[in-house]
mmCIF file of all heavy atoms in Angstrom:
data_model
loop_
_atom_site.group_PDB
_atom_site.id
_atom_site.type_symbol
_atom_site.label_atom_id
_atom_site.label_comp_id
_atom_site.label_asym_id
_atom_site.label_seq_id
_atom_site.Cartn_x
_atom_site.Cartn_y
_atom_site.Cartn_z
ATOM 1 N N CYS A 90 115.893 113.088 91.615
ATOM 2 C CA CYS A 90 116.523 114.268 92.230
ATOM 3 C C CYS A 90 116.868 113.948 93.677
ATOM 4 O O CYS A 90 116.219 113.121 94.320
ATOM 5 C CB CYS A 90 115.552 115.451 92.214
ATOM 6 S SG CYS A 90 115.263 116.141 90.590
ATOM 7 N N THR A 91 117.846 114.651 94.211
ATOM 8 C CA THR A 91 118.110 114.551 95.649
ATOM 9 C C THR A 91 116.898 115.154 96.361
ATOM 10 O O THR A 91 116.184 115.988 95.773
ATOM 11 C CB THR A 91 119.364 115.353 96.051
ATOM 12 O OG1 THR A 91 119.104 116.747 95.800
ATOM 13 C CG2 THR A 91 120.598 114.901 95.292
ATOM 14 N N PRO A 92 116.661 114.790 97.622
ATOM 15 C CA PRO A 92 115.523 115.392 98.329
ATOM 16 C C PRO A 92 115.542 116.920 98.306
ATOM 17 O O PRO A 92 114.511 117.546 98.074
ATOM 18 C CB PRO A 92 115.665 114.838 99.756
ATOM 19 C CG PRO A 92 116.324 113.498 99.548
ATOM 20 C CD PRO A 92 117.286 113.718 98.396
ATOM 21 N N ASP A 93 116.702 117.544 98.495
ATOM 22 C CA ASP A 93 116.774 119.015 98.492
ATOM 23 C C ASP A 93 116.385 119.592 97.136
ATOM 24 O O ASP A 93 115.657 120.579 97.051
ATOM 25 C CB ASP A 93 118.185 119.501 98.859
ATOM 26 C CG ASP A 93 118.449 119.428 100.357
ATOM 27 O OD1 ASP A 93 117.486 119.205 101.117
ATOM 28 O OD2 ASP A 93 119.615 119.590 100.746
ATOM 29 N N THR A 94 116.893 118.962 96.059
ATOM 30 C CA THR A 94 116.569 119.436 94.707
ATOM 31 C C THR A 94 115.083 119.233 94.424
ATOM 32 O O THR A 94 114.420 120.118 93.879
ATOM 33 C CB THR A 94 117.440 118.698 93.670
ATOM 34 O OG1 THR A 94 118.809 118.924 94.013
ATOM 35 C CG2 THR A 94 117.177 119.209 92.264
ATOM 36 N N ALA A 95 114.557 118.064 94.804
ATOM 37 C CA ALA A 95 113.126 117.783 94.605
ATOM 38 C C ALA A 95 112.272 118.808 95.354
ATOM 39 O O ALA A 95 111.289 119.323 94.810
ATOM 40 C CB ALA A 95 112.792 116.367 95.069
ATOM 41 N N ASN A 96 112.655 119.122 96.578
ATOM 42 C CA ASN A 96 111.923 120.121 97.372
ATOM 43 C C ASN A 96 111.943 121.479 96.670
ATOM 44 O O ASN A 96 110.934 122.182 96.632
ATOM 45 C CB ASN A 96 112.537 120.275 98.773
ATOM 46 C CG ASN A 96 112.412 119.021 99.625
ATOM 47 O OD1 ASN A 96 111.664 118.092 99.294
ATOM 48 N ND2 ASN A 96 113.146 118.978 100.713
ATOM 49 N N ARG A 97 113.101 121.850 96.112
ATOM 50 C CA ARG A 97 113.247 123.136 95.437
ATOM 51 C C ARG A 97 112.356 123.213 94.188
ATOM 52 O O ARG A 97 111.701 124.209 93.949
ATOM 53 C CB ARG A 97 114.716 123.355 95.064
ATOM 54 C CG ARG A 97 115.224 124.715 95.424
ATOM 55 C CD ARG A 97 116.685 125.011 95.140
ATOM 56 N NE ARG A 97 117.370 124.188 94.180
ATOM 57 C CZ ARG A 97 118.223 123.210 94.504
ATOM 58 N NH1 ARG A 97 118.473 122.935 95.754
ATOM 59 N NH2 ARG A 97 118.831 122.516 93.555
ATOM 60 N N HIS A 98 112.355 122.135 93.388
ATOM 61 C CA HIS A 98 111.554 122.126 92.157
ATOM 62 C C HIS A 98 110.056 122.092 92.445
ATOM 63 O O HIS A 98 109.275 122.764 91.789
ATOM 64 C CB HIS A 98 111.898 120.912 91.288
ATOM 65 C CG HIS A 98 113.247 120.983 90.645
ATOM 66 N ND1 HIS A 98 113.759 122.133 90.082
ATOM 67 C CD2 HIS A 98 114.195 120.026 90.458
ATOM 68 C CE1 HIS A 98 114.961 121.883 89.585
ATOM 69 N NE2 HIS A 98 115.260 120.619 89.802
ATOM 70 N N SER A 99 109.655 121.267 93.426
ATOM 71 C CA SER A 99 108.226 121.041 93.652
ATOM 72 C C SER A 99 107.597 122.041 94.623
ATOM 73 O O SER A 99 106.404 122.306 94.549
ATOM 74 C CB SER A 99 107.990 119.619 94.182
ATOM 75 O OG SER A 99 108.463 119.497 95.518
ATOM 76 N N GLY A 100 108.412 122.554 95.553
ATOM 77 C CA GLY A 100 107.857 123.404 96.595
ATOM 78 C C GLY A 100 107.279 122.594 97.754
ATOM 79 O O GLY A 100 106.713 123.153 98.686
ATOM 80 N N TYR A 101 107.434 121.280 97.688
ATOM 81 C CA TYR A 101 106.936 120.388 98.745
ATOM 82 C C TYR A 101 108.092 119.636 99.376
ATOM 83 O O TYR A 101 109.112 119.408 98.735
ATOM 84 C CB TYR A 101 105.977 119.336 98.156
ATOM 85 C CG TYR A 101 104.717 119.899 97.557
ATOM 86 C CD1 TYR A 101 104.490 119.854 96.188
ATOM 87 C CD2 TYR A 101 103.731 120.455 98.369
ATOM 88 C CE1 TYR A 101 103.322 120.353 95.633
ATOM 89 C CE2 TYR A 101 102.561 120.959 97.818
ATOM 90 C CZ TYR A 101 102.360 120.915 96.464
ATOM 91 O OH TYR A 101 101.209 121.403 95.918
ATOM 92 N N LEU A 102 107.888 119.200 100.626
ATOM 93 C CA LEU A 102 108.859 118.330 101.267
ATOM 94 C C LEU A 102 108.692 116.928 100.717
ATOM 95 O O LEU A 102 107.562 116.469 100.500
ATOM 96 C CB LEU A 102 108.622 118.287 102.787
ATOM 97 C CG LEU A 102 108.985 119.539 103.580
ATOM 98 C CD1 LEU A 102 108.582 119.366 105.029
ATOM 99 C CD2 LEU A 102 110.484 119.808 103.469
ATOM 100 N N VAL A 103 109.797 116.211 100.505
ATOM 101 C CA VAL A 103 109.724 114.818 100.075
ATOM 102 C C VAL A 103 108.898 114.064 101.118
ATOM 103 O O VAL A 103 109.072 114.246 102.318
ATOM 104 C CB VAL A 103 111.138 114.219 99.904
ATOM 105 C CG1 VAL A 103 111.083 112.709 99.750
ATOM 106 C CG2 VAL A 103 111.827 114.853 98.711
ATOM 107 N N GLY A 104 107.982 113.254 100.637
ATOM 108 C CA GLY A 104 107.027 112.569 101.532
ATOM 109 C C GLY A 104 105.685 113.276 101.491
ATOM 110 O O GLY A 104 104.667 112.726 101.905
ATOM 111 N N GLY A 105 105.690 114.505 100.979
ATOM 112 C CA GLY A 105 104.457 115.273 100.851
ATOM 113 C C GLY A 105 104.330 115.881 99.464
ATOM 114 O O GLY A 105 103.575 116.811 99.242
ATOM 115 N N THR A 106 105.108 115.333 98.502
ATOM 116 C CA THR A 106 105.139 115.898 97.152
ATOM 117 C C THR A 106 103.868 115.562 96.386
ATOM 118 O O THR A 106 103.511 114.401 96.258
ATOM 119 C CB THR A 106 106.361 115.374 96.365
ATOM 120 O OG1 THR A 106 107.537 115.634 97.128
ATOM 121 C CG2 THR A 106 106.462 116.051 95.011
ATOM 122 N N SER A 107 103.208 116.589 95.897
ATOM 123 C CA SER A 107 102.024 116.421 95.061
ATOM 124 C C SER A 107 102.362 116.881 93.649
ATOM 125 O O SER A 107 103.156 117.807 93.486
ATOM 126 C CB SER A 107 100.875 117.272 95.614
ATOM 127 O OG SER A 107 99.746 117.175 94.764
ATOM 128 N N PRO A 108 101.737 116.271 92.637
ATOM 129 C CA PRO A 108 101.962 116.763 91.280
ATOM 130 C C PRO A 108 101.160 118.037 90.992
ATOM 131 O O PRO A 108 101.395 118.712 90.005
ATOM 132 C CB PRO A 108 101.474 115.615 90.398
ATOM 133 C CG PRO A 108 100.404 114.975 91.215
ATOM 134 C CD PRO A 108 100.870 115.099 92.653
ATOM 135 N N PHE A 109 100.224 118.359 91.882
ATOM 136 C CA PHE A 109 99.377 119.544 91.714
ATOM 137 C C PHE A 109 100.015 120.731 92.433
ATOM 138 O O PHE A 109 100.437 120.615 93.568
ATOM 139 C CB PHE A 109 97.986 119.301 92.317
ATOM 140 C CG PHE A 109 97.267 118.127 91.730
ATOM 141 C CD1 PHE A 109 97.179 116.934 92.424
ATOM 142 C CD2 PHE A 109 96.667 118.209 90.480
ATOM 143 C CE1 PHE A 109 96.515 115.841 91.878
ATOM 144 C CE2 PHE A 109 96.006 117.129 89.925
ATOM 145 C CZ PHE A 109 95.926 115.933 90.632
ATOM 146 N N GLY A 110 100.059 121.875 91.769
ATOM 147 C CA GLY A 110 100.548 123.090 92.436
ATOM 148 C C GLY A 110 102.032 123.103 92.702
ATOM 149 O O GLY A 110 102.477 123.663 93.704
ATOM 150 N N THR A 111 102.822 122.513 91.816
ATOM 151 C CA THR A 111 104.273 122.527 92.022
ATOM 152 C C THR A 111 104.812 123.936 91.797
ATOM 153 O O THR A 111 104.228 124.727 91.054
ATOM 154 C CB THR A 111 104.986 121.546 91.059
ATOM 155 O OG1 THR A 111 104.596 121.840 89.719
ATOM 156 C CG2 THR A 111 104.656 120.095 91.394
ATOM 157 N N ARG A 112 105.919 124.221 92.454
ATOM 158 C CA ARG A 112 106.541 125.546 92.340
ATOM 159 C C ARG A 112 106.964 125.818 90.899
ATOM 160 O O ARG A 112 106.779 126.911 90.384
ATOM 161 C CB ARG A 112 107.747 125.617 93.276
ATOM 162 C CG ARG A 112 108.456 126.968 93.211
ATOM 163 C CD ARG A 112 109.593 127.063 94.204
ATOM 164 N NE ARG A 112 109.050 127.093 95.559
ATOM 165 C CZ ARG A 112 109.669 126.596 96.625
ATOM 166 N NH1 ARG A 112 110.844 126.020 96.496
ATOM 167 N NH2 ARG A 112 109.131 126.671 97.816
ATOM 168 N N LYS A 113 107.595 124.829 90.263
ATOM 169 C CA LYS A 113 108.024 124.971 88.869
ATOM 170 C C LYS A 113 107.080 124.178 87.978
ATOM 171 O O LYS A 113 106.631 123.107 88.350
ATOM 172 C CB LYS A 113 109.427 124.371 88.682
ATOM 173 C CG LYS A 113 110.539 125.251 89.169
ATOM 174 C CD LYS A 113 111.882 124.668 88.761
ATOM 175 C CE LYS A 113 113.004 125.563 89.254
ATOM 176 N NZ LYS A 113 114.300 124.899 89.208
ATOM 177 N N GLN A 114 106.817 124.703 86.781
ATOM 178 C CA GLN A 114 106.083 123.941 85.771
ATOM 179 C C GLN A 114 107.026 122.863 85.260
ATOM 180 O O GLN A 114 108.136 123.176 84.849
ATOM 181 C CB GLN A 114 105.674 124.851 84.610
ATOM 182 C CG GLN A 114 104.491 125.744 84.926
ATOM 183 C CD GLN A 114 103.201 124.927 84.999
ATOM 184 O OE1 GLN A 114 102.780 124.509 86.076
ATOM 185 N NE2 GLN A 114 102.595 124.683 83.868
ATOM 186 N N MET A 115 106.601 121.614 85.327
ATOM 187 C CA MET A 115 107.446 120.514 84.859
ATOM 188 C C MET A 115 106.588 119.575 84.023
ATOM 189 O O MET A 115 105.398 119.436 84.285
ATOM 190 C CB MET A 115 108.011 119.734 86.055
ATOM 191 C CG MET A 115 108.919 120.538 86.964
ATOM 192 S SD MET A 115 109.453 119.584 88.414
ATOM 193 C CE MET A 115 108.159 119.974 89.589
ATOM 194 N N PRO A 116 107.200 118.915 83.024
ATOM 195 C CA PRO A 116 106.421 117.904 82.305
ATOM 196 C C PRO A 116 106.050 116.767 83.261
ATOM 197 O O PRO A 116 106.837 116.425 84.155
ATOM 198 C CB PRO A 116 107.382 117.426 81.212
ATOM 199 C CG PRO A 116 108.738 117.863 81.623
ATOM 200 C CD PRO A 116 108.569 119.032 82.556
ATOM 201 N N VAL A 117 104.855 116.207 83.078
ATOM 202 C CA VAL A 117 104.376 115.128 83.946
ATOM 203 C C VAL A 117 104.217 113.865 83.102
ATOM 204 O O VAL A 117 103.553 113.881 82.069
ATOM 205 C CB VAL A 117 103.026 115.495 84.605
ATOM 206 C CG1 VAL A 117 102.514 114.345 85.474
ATOM 207 C CG2 VAL A 117 103.154 116.772 85.427
ATOM 208 N N TYR A 118 104.840 112.781 83.567
ATOM 209 C CA TYR A 118 104.731 111.477 82.907
ATOM 210 C C TYR A 118 103.983 110.541 83.849
ATOM 211 O O TYR A 118 104.273 110.490 85.043
ATOM 212 C CB TYR A 118 106.124 110.924 82.560
ATOM 213 C CG TYR A 118 106.834 111.842 81.600
ATOM 214 C CD1 TYR A 118 107.703 112.838 82.053
ATOM 215 C CD2 TYR A 118 106.575 111.769 80.228
ATOM 216 C CE1 TYR A 118 108.318 113.709 81.171
ATOM 217 C CE2 TYR A 118 107.186 112.648 79.333
ATOM 218 C CZ TYR A 118 108.047 113.604 79.814
ATOM 219 O OH TYR A 118 108.644 114.476 78.939
ATOM 220 N N LEU A 119 103.019 109.825 83.277
ATOM 221 C CA LEU A 119 102.105 108.992 84.054
ATOM 222 C C LEU A 119 102.189 107.552 83.572
ATOM 223 O O LEU A 119 102.056 107.302 82.367
ATOM 224 C CB LEU A 119 100.684 109.536 83.826
ATOM 225 C CG LEU A 119 99.496 108.696 84.240
ATOM 226 C CD1 LEU A 119 99.180 108.955 85.700
ATOM 227 C CD2 LEU A 119 98.290 109.054 83.396
ATOM 228 N N GLU A 120 102.439 106.618 84.476
ATOM 229 C CA GLU A 120 102.409 105.198 84.097
ATOM 230 C C GLU A 120 101.020 104.912 83.543
ATOM 231 O O GLU A 120 100.013 105.150 84.214
ATOM 232 C CB GLU A 120 102.717 104.313 85.306
ATOM 233 C CG GLU A 120 102.681 102.836 85.021
ATOM 234 C CD GLU A 120 103.713 102.340 84.007
ATOM 235 O OE1 GLU A 120 104.741 103.030 83.766
ATOM 236 O OE2 GLU A 120 103.492 101.256 83.442
ATOM 237 N N GLU A 121 100.947 104.427 82.290
ATOM 238 C CA GLU A 121 99.657 104.346 81.589
ATOM 239 C C GLU A 121 98.626 103.450 82.271
ATOM 240 O O GLU A 121 97.430 103.697 82.149
ATOM 241 C CB GLU A 121 99.857 103.949 80.125
ATOM 242 C CG GLU A 121 100.408 102.561 79.919
ATOM 243 C CD GLU A 121 100.686 102.250 78.443
ATOM 244 O OE1 GLU A 121 100.896 103.179 77.640
ATOM 245 O OE2 GLU A 121 100.693 101.049 78.119
ATOM 246 N N THR A 122 99.066 102.431 83.016
ATOM 247 C CA THR A 122 98.095 101.540 83.667
ATOM 248 C C THR A 122 97.346 102.228 84.816
ATOM 249 O O THR A 122 96.315 101.729 85.258
ATOM 250 C CB THR A 122 98.775 100.245 84.165
ATOM 251 O OG1 THR A 122 99.917 100.620 84.948
ATOM 252 C CG2 THR A 122 99.229 99.367 83.004
ATOM 253 N N ILE A 123 97.831 103.368 85.273
ATOM 254 C CA ILE A 123 97.110 104.141 86.300
ATOM 255 C C ILE A 123 95.737 104.541 85.763
ATOM 256 O O ILE A 123 94.759 104.607 86.505
ATOM 257 C CB ILE A 123 97.934 105.380 86.732
ATOM 258 C CG1 ILE A 123 99.183 104.939 87.504
ATOM 259 C CG2 ILE A 123 97.096 106.358 87.555
ATOM 260 C CD1 ILE A 123 100.201 106.039 87.772
ATOM 261 N N LEU A 124 95.661 104.771 84.447
ATOM 262 C CA LEU A 124 94.403 105.202 83.825
ATOM 263 C C LEU A 124 93.318 104.128 83.901
ATOM 264 O O LEU A 124 92.136 104.422 83.731
ATOM 265 C CB LEU A 124 94.646 105.604 82.369
ATOM 266 C CG LEU A 124 95.637 106.758 82.187
ATOM 267 C CD1 LEU A 124 95.979 106.953 80.720
ATOM 268 C CD2 LEU A 124 95.097 108.031 82.810
ATOM 269 N N GLU A 125 93.705 102.873 84.158
ATOM 270 C CA GLU A 125 92.752 101.771 84.245
ATOM 271 C C GLU A 125 92.095 101.662 85.622
ATOM 272 O O GLU A 125 91.122 100.933 85.782
ATOM 273 C CB GLU A 125 93.460 100.446 83.915
ATOM 274 C CG GLU A 125 94.026 100.411 82.507
ATOM 275 C CD GLU A 125 95.039 99.291 82.298
ATOM 276 O OE1 GLU A 125 95.175 98.405 83.184
ATOM 277 O OE2 GLU A 125 95.694 99.302 81.245
ATOM 278 N N LEU A 126 92.632 102.368 86.609
ATOM 279 C CA LEU A 126 92.094 102.269 87.975
ATOM 280 C C LEU A 126 90.812 103.091 88.112
ATOM 281 O O LEU A 126 90.704 104.168 87.525
ATOM 282 C CB LEU A 126 93.134 102.771 88.987
ATOM 283 C CG LEU A 126 94.453 101.991 89.032
ATOM 284 C CD1 LEU A 126 95.465 102.723 89.897
ATOM 285 C CD2 LEU A 126 94.227 100.579 89.554
ATOM 286 N N PRO A 127 89.843 102.603 88.899
ATOM 287 C CA PRO A 127 88.617 103.389 89.092
ATOM 288 C C PRO A 127 88.852 104.620 89.976
ATOM 289 O O PRO A 127 88.229 105.657 89.787
ATOM 290 C CB PRO A 127 87.656 102.404 89.772
ATOM 291 C CG PRO A 127 88.521 101.343 90.368
ATOM 292 C CD PRO A 127 89.787 101.305 89.555
ATOM 293 N N LEU A 128 89.778 104.509 90.937
ATOM 294 C CA LEU A 128 90.039 105.590 91.894
ATOM 295 C C LEU A 128 91.510 105.536 92.273
ATOM 296 O O LEU A 128 92.055 104.460 92.495
ATOM 297 C CB LEU A 128 89.173 105.390 93.147
ATOM 298 C CG LEU A 128 89.083 106.555 94.123
ATOM 299 C CD1 LEU A 128 88.334 107.733 93.497
ATOM 300 C CD2 LEU A 128 88.358 106.104 95.396
ATOM 301 N N ILE A 129 92.144 106.701 92.327
ATOM 302 C CA ILE A 129 93.536 106.752 92.761
ATOM 303 C C ILE A 129 93.653 107.604 94.026
ATOM 304 O O ILE A 129 92.812 108.461 94.297
ATOM 305 C CB ILE A 129 94.471 107.324 91.670
ATOM 306 C CG1 ILE A 129 94.033 108.736 91.256
ATOM 307 C CG2 ILE A 129 94.550 106.373 90.480
ATOM 308 C CD1 ILE A 129 95.041 109.474 90.377
ATOM 309 N N TYR A 130 94.703 107.340 94.778
ATOM 310 C CA TYR A 130 95.043 108.098 95.980
ATOM 311 C C TYR A 130 96.412 108.701 95.705
ATOM 312 O O TYR A 130 97.355 107.988 95.374
ATOM 313 C CB TYR A 130 95.107 107.178 97.206
ATOM 314 C CG TYR A 130 93.771 106.575 97.535
ATOM 315 C CD1 TYR A 130 93.305 105.453 96.856
ATOM 316 C CD2 TYR A 130 92.952 107.151 98.497
ATOM 317 C CE1 TYR A 130 92.057 104.913 97.135
ATOM 318 C CE2 TYR A 130 91.705 106.614 98.782
ATOM 319 C CZ TYR A 130 91.266 105.500 98.099
ATOM 320 O OH TYR A 130 90.030 104.971 98.374
ATOM 321 N N ILE A 131 96.508 110.027 95.821
ATOM 322 C CA ILE A 131 97.753 110.708 95.478
ATOM 323 C C ILE A 131 98.005 111.812 96.491
ATOM 324 O O ILE A 131 97.066 112.326 97.103
ATOM 325 C CB ILE A 131 97.678 111.236 94.015
ATOM 326 C CG1 ILE A 131 99.047 111.652 93.491
ATOM 327 C CG2 ILE A 131 96.633 112.341 93.873
ATOM 328 C CD1 ILE A 131 99.123 111.707 91.972
ATOM 329 N N ASN A 132 99.264 112.169 96.686
ATOM 330 C CA ASN A 132 99.583 113.128 97.732
ATOM 331 C C ASN A 132 98.892 114.471 97.521
ATOM 332 O O ASN A 132 98.849 115.002 96.419
ATOM 333 C CB ASN A 132 101.096 113.322 97.833
ATOM 334 C CG ASN A 132 101.476 113.796 99.207
ATOM 335 O OD1 ASN A 132 101.177 114.928 99.569
ATOM 336 N ND2 ASN A 132 102.077 112.927 99.987
#
Side-chain angles (χ1 to χ4, degrees):
C90 289
T91 64
D93 282 349
T94 303
N96 295 347
R97 227 178 20 257
H98 289 318
S99 71
Y101 296 111
L102 288 175
V103 168
T106 306
S107 177
F109 302 104
T111 54
R112 180 176 291 149
K113 282 188 180 165
Q114 283 288 95
M115 297 176 270
V117 178
Y118 298 94
L119 166 86
E120 179 63 20
E121 65 184 24
T122 51
I123 291 170
L124 300 171
E125 298 164 10
L126 298 171
L128 192 67
I129 58 169
Y130 295 82
I131 194 160
N132 204 290

